[in-house]
């Protein structure tokens, strides 16, 4: 069993934290894992994308071939659309519905969402507002991970919860609890 995931967003949104949480859970579960990252020159506001491959069998490449991704997890709707060619026909798109307008010619929001919603398997929610309303505004990325959790067939929701606790443990119990609450909000919102 395998799961090939494209993580996408804008620098500073927490995409690499999502990759860390999934990677930690996969390692603890004894899965094979490969990851390749592309940073927008490692700057806040630049394009950030990561190929994350999980499998019960050995993986020989860290890159996902066009048309073979099982899922796109994106913190930004335009960034989700940027990688649609990588998605296989039954793949899932889990994304924030709130644009991060970091370029002057950002596409029309209505057209953007129509194009996104024309795809067969899309979950798009305003995760930033959800996180802010829940009292954990800095954890919108973990809300997004919660939305994607049931689609990560090689990992369980419980394994991801445990990983969140490990990844944020050094930041203290308050941060761990806020991120667990954010994750649960995303899990419930996607049901």
């Amino acid at each position: 069993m395998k799961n090939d995931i494209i993580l996408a967003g804008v620098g500073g949104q927490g995409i690499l934290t999502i990759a860390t949480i999934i990677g930690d859970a996969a390692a603890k579960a004894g899965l094979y894992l490969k990851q390749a990252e592309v940073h927008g020159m490692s700057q806040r506001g630049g394009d950030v994308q990561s190929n994350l491959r999980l499998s019960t069998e050995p993986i020989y490449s860290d890159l996902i071939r066009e048309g073979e991704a099982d899922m796109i997890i994106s913190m930004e709707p335009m960034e989700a659309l940027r990688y649609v060619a990588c998605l296989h026909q039954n793949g899932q798109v889990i994304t924030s519905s709130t644009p991060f307008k970091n370029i002057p010619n950002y596409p029309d929001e209505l057209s953007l969402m129509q194009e996104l919603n024309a795809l067969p398997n899309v979950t798009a929610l305003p995760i930033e507002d959800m996180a802010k309303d829940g009292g954990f505004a800095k954890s919108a990325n973990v809300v997004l991970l919660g939305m994607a959790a049931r689609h990560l067939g090689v990992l369980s929701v419980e394994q991801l919860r445990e990983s969140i606790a490990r990844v944020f443990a050094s930041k203290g119990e308050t941060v761990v609890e806020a991120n667990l609450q954010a994750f649960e909000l995303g899990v419930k919102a996607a049901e």
Side-chain angles (χ1 to χ4, degrees):
M1 182 176 225
K2 69 145 182 90
N3 205 324
D4 289 339
I5 306 161
I6 303 276
L7 299 167
V10 173
Q13 288 186 306
I15 282 297
L16 300 181
T17 300
I18 293 173
T20 299
I21 294 167
I22 295 172
D24 175 82
K28 194 75 167 170
L31 296 172
Y32 292 93
L33 167 72
K34 292 272 187 181
Q35 181 178 3
E37 298 173 6
V38 176
H39 302 270
M41 296 175 55
S42 297
Q43 66 186 6
R44 184 172 292 276
D47 174 38
V48 176
Q49 182 263 343
S50 179
N51 283 256
L52 187 59
R53 305 190 70 206
L54 312 172
S55 179
T56 55
E57 303 296 323
I59 304 167
Y60 299 103
S61 172
D62 54 357
L63 297 176
I64 300 168
R65 291 181 21 199
E66 190 169 301
E68 294 194 6
D70 299 298
M71 184 183 317
I72 295 171
I73 301 174
S74 181
M75 289 291 295
E76 208 284 327
M78 184 180 75
E79 294 300 327
L81 286 172
R82 182 188 306 258
Y83 299 102
V84 166
C86 296
L87 199 61
H88 73 64
Q89 66 183 30
N90 296 320
Q92 298 285 326
V93 177
I94 312 293
T95 186
S96 171
S97 60
T98 307
F100 183 88
K101 296 182 180 181
N102 60 334
I103 55 174
N105 58 343
Y106 193 92
D108 173 66
E109 285 182 53
L110 182 58
S111 299
L112 182 72
M113 291 312 293
Q114 286 174 336
E115 188 175 346
L116 193 58
N117 289 323
L119 298 171
N121 300 306
V122 175
T123 304
L125 295 171
I127 59 171
E128 292 82 3
D129 292 341
M130 293 166 63
K132 191 181 296 181
D133 292 346
F136 31 81
K138 292 183 178 182
S139 299
N141 60 331
V142 183
V143 173
L144 185 67
L145 176 60
M147 288 167 50
R150 68 185 176 104
H151 300 289
L152 294 171
V154 294
L155 293 171
S156 71
V157 171
E158 186 54 38
Q159 287 170 313
L160 291 167
R161 280 187 196 104
E162 291 168 3
S163 179
I164 289 167
R166 283 190 300 273
V167 168
F168 291 106
S170 66
K171 297 186 182 224
E173 189 57 39
T174 302
V175 173
V176 169
E177 189 55 37
N179 281 285
L180 286 171
Q181 288 176 14
F183 180 75
E184 293 305 323
L185 180 65
V187 169
K188 286 183 174 77
E191 287 177 348

